[in-house]
Amino acid sequence: MNDATNLARTGARVGTTWGILVMLLGILAIAMPLLTGVALTMTLGVILVASGVAQLIYTFRSKSFGEGAMRFVFGALAILAGLSLFAQPGAGLATITVFLAVWFVVDGIWSLIAGFRWRPFDGWGWMVFSGVVSIVLGIMVYRQFPESAAWLVGLMVGIRLMFAGMTMIMMGSAGEA
């Protein structure tokens, strides 16, 4: 075996190992969706505060306050939004849930429109089906609100992590062969 083959196999093993870890994190996120959602909301709050502080520092360091007035306003708003998310993660999680419900419905409507525009071509039915599923999901999330705020974000992140981990495992397995 040459060095390139050994390097590829080592990389594949590392990918498989990390894939297993990511998949386990996904399972934990699904098992504890509220904790996952609150942790993500608080993390988003910290990111918004850091972004806002960076924008304020830039505004004051650039010495062109007239030009940077909007940057100052957006920096201050980012700090306020971040502090709000961090201080009230439940309310932030509820807001994110409502946003996702609306996004599902709007995305579904656009998928329906696009699907019917594609109608003579192959695959248009899948696009329409995807739109219907998205609309139904949005309505389900909204109708179960505020209870859905306790599980939606954590469940979605958990599912995404599971698929990402599974992909890493499959790619690693293919590289080991």
Side-chain angles (χ1 to χ4, degrees):
M1 255 185 243
N2 62 25
D3 289 339
T5 303
N6 286 334
L7 187 61
R9 285 200 174 143
T10 301
R13 281 189 215 102
V14 169
T16 301
T17 302
W18 281 103
I20 291 168
L21 178 65
V22 169
M23 199 164 175
L24 289 174
L25 289 172
I27 291 168
L28 282 174
I30 290 170
M32 300 181 294
L34 179 60
L35 180 63
T36 301
V38 169
L40 288 167
T41 301
M42 293 177 77
T43 302
L44 180 59
V46 169
I47 290 169
L48 283 170
V49 168
S51 168
V53 168
Q55 288 184 54
L56 291 182
I57 290 171
Y58 175 78
T59 299
F60 288 113
R61 294 256 176 150
S62 68
K63 298 190 175 142
S64 61
F65 193 76
E67 192 176 293
M70 288 306 291
R71 185 173 309 278
F72 175 82
V73 169
F74 285 117
L77 284 174
I79 291 171
L80 289 174
L83 289 174
S84 175
L85 287 175
F86 197 78
Q88 298 287 329
L93 192 54
T95 303
I96 292 168
T97 301
V98 170
F99 174 81
L100 286 171
V102 170
W103 181 74
F104 280 138
V105 171
V106 171
D107 178 64
I109 291 168
W110 282 113
S111 291
L112 282 174
I113 291 169
F116 284 118
R117 284 187 175 171
W118 276 83
R119 189 161 32 176
F121 300 107
D122 289 341
W124 74 272
W126 285 107
M127 198 175 276
V128 169
F129 178 71
S130 173
V132 170
V133 168
S134 187
I135 291 169
V136 168
L137 283 173
I139 291 170
M140 285 173 55
V141 167
Y142 184 76
R143 289 192 56 152
Q144 292 182 13
F145 186 80
E147 291 84 12
S148 60
W151 55 263
L152 178 71
V153 174
L155 178 68
M156 290 180 71
V157 168
I159 291 169
R160 177 64 187 111
L161 287 173
M162 282 188 58
F163 275 97
M166 204 177 326
T167 300
M168 292 169 74
I169 292 167
M170 293 299 128
M171 296 296 289
S173 296
E176 289 179 25

